[in-house]
Amino acid sequence: MKLFSYKLEDYYDNAMRDYPLPMRGGYAVILAILYAFSQVMWRCPMQGADDLKIGRKDRGAVYICNHTSMAEVVAIVTWFWRHGRRMRPIFKSEFNDSGIVRWFFARVGGIPVDRGTADMKSLRRASRALQRGEDILIFPEGTRIRTDDQPVEVHGGFAIIAQMAKAPVVPMAVCGFRDITPNGKHLMRPVRCWMRASAELSLADAPADLKRRERTEWVEREAVRRMYALRDELRAEHPGRR
């Protein structure tokens, strides 16, 4: 599609491989730089990578992860890009209030969602992306959790997206990213961080006696449980890091 006729909605609704060539080229250059930056600054390997079926071609997967820093988006998306996957983060639509953020997020594959509503347009966009073979990144906590005493409200819906696309859900967790910009600081600092993934989940893993809606709810609960279990494992292995 032509660069100057491509509208904001087109970025949300079309495959990333169909973006205008200049945007695809710029995307590759930016992610290559950010990948190198993240590995030098945070030395964040992906543990459990053997469980990730990143070679799948038919459809993508829904990745969920705990959220403590915007740096996690950079580290996760660039790691998957380096391994040949296009990952589209789901972000809260409030970010679109800023013109430059709206412009940038659309061109790196982000899909906005109106939190607290039944945003079926976003659900369908994410489902179609999965069916095309693109991956979806969701932070169920909805916002960065900067302290352990901060109230946490886990937002559902990711299992419905996976169900619509017949795609798996993959729990992930991160540790150490909160220390990149401690409270009261604005400049990032080099610290060691960790990412870990577990085996994927699908409706077929739910108890057979559950009804369809109950199976979806089971996948959602189990995925979140595994996400926090991974996070707690990382924290136990790296005391004092969050």
Side-chain angles (χ1 to χ4, degrees):
M1 297 201 179
K2 295 182 179 179
L3 176 62
F4 296 107
S5 63
Y6 221 62
K7 303 296 190 295
L8 188 68
E9 298 290 312
D10 294 324
Y11 287 100
Y12 301 147
D13 292 327
N14 289 288
M16 296 178 70
R17 62 176 176 269
D18 294 333
Y19 284 7
L21 181 59
M23 288 301 170
R24 282 183 279 140
Y27 176 83
V29 170
I30 291 171
L31 262 68
I33 294 172
L34 290 177
Y35 175 77
F37 176 83
S38 65
Q39 293 302 315
V40 170
M41 286 285 287
W42 309 318
R43 295 163 289 162
C44 45
M46 178 66 74
Q47 301 172 354
D50 291 343
D51 287 328
L52 301 177
K53 299 177 182 178
I54 56 177
R56 59 162 60 91
K57 300 294 184 182
D58 57 334
R59 66 188 62 240
V62 177
Y63 291 84
I64 67 166
C65 189
N66 63 306
H67 195 21
T68 63
S69 166
M70 290 301 293
E72 295 149 4
V73 183
V74 174
I76 294 171
V77 170
T78 59
W79 188 91
F80 277 88
W81 170 82
R82 176 65 178 79
H83 290 80
R85 301 296 301 178
R86 295 182 178 91
M87 177 170 275
R88 307 189 69 146
I90 301 296
F91 66 95
K92 54 187 179 183
S93 59
E94 293 94 312
F95 282 128
N96 274 346
D97 292 340
S98 168
I100 186 63
V101 173
R102 180 171 63 249
W103 184 93
F104 180 76
F105 277 18
R107 284 151 182 81
V108 297
I111 298 175
V113 62
D114 290 326
R115 294 190 302 171
T117 68
D119 191 347
M120 290 306 300
K121 179 182 286 189
S122 295
L123 295 181
R124 285 192 291 268
R125 283 170 170 163
S127 175
R128 287 193 292 266
L130 290 166
Q131 292 169 344
R132 292 191 297 261
E134 298 169 333
D135 296 318
I136 296 295
L137 175 62
I138 296 178
F139 297 104
E141 294 165 327
T143 189
R144 290 170 292 173
I145 307 303
R146 301 295 294 160
T147 64
D148 285 345
D149 58 0
Q150 180 178 337
V152 178
E153 179 184 358
V154 175
H155 297 268
F158 61 84
I160 296 176
I161 295 173
Q163 176 188 325
M164 290 169 64
K166 296 181 172 58
V169 176
V170 182
M172 290 180 54
V174 294
C175 177
F177 286 89
R178 187 186 290 175
D179 301 321
I180 292 174
T181 52
N183 284 338
K185 305 292 183 180
H186 299 287
L187 295 178
M188 293 184 294
R189 61 177 183 170
V191 297
R192 182 67 185 272
C193 301
W194 297 268
M195 304 186 293
R196 180 171 293 174
S198 73
E200 61 186 35
L201 277 168
S202 69
L203 289 180
D205 297 310
D209 59 335
L210 296 180
K211 297 179 181 179
R212 185 173 182 83
R213 180 175 179 179
E214 293 172 334
R215 292 161 70 85
T216 302
E217 293 171 349
W218 182 92
V219 169
E220 199 162 90
R221 290 193 303 270
E222 179 64 12
V224 171
R225 186 194 68 79
R226 293 189 188 185
M227 178 186 78
Y228 282 129
L230 290 171
R231 182 203 63 182
D232 293 343
E233 288 175 7
L234 288 171
R235 288 183 173 187
E237 294 168 12
H238 310 286
R241 303 301 303 277
R242 293 293 185 268

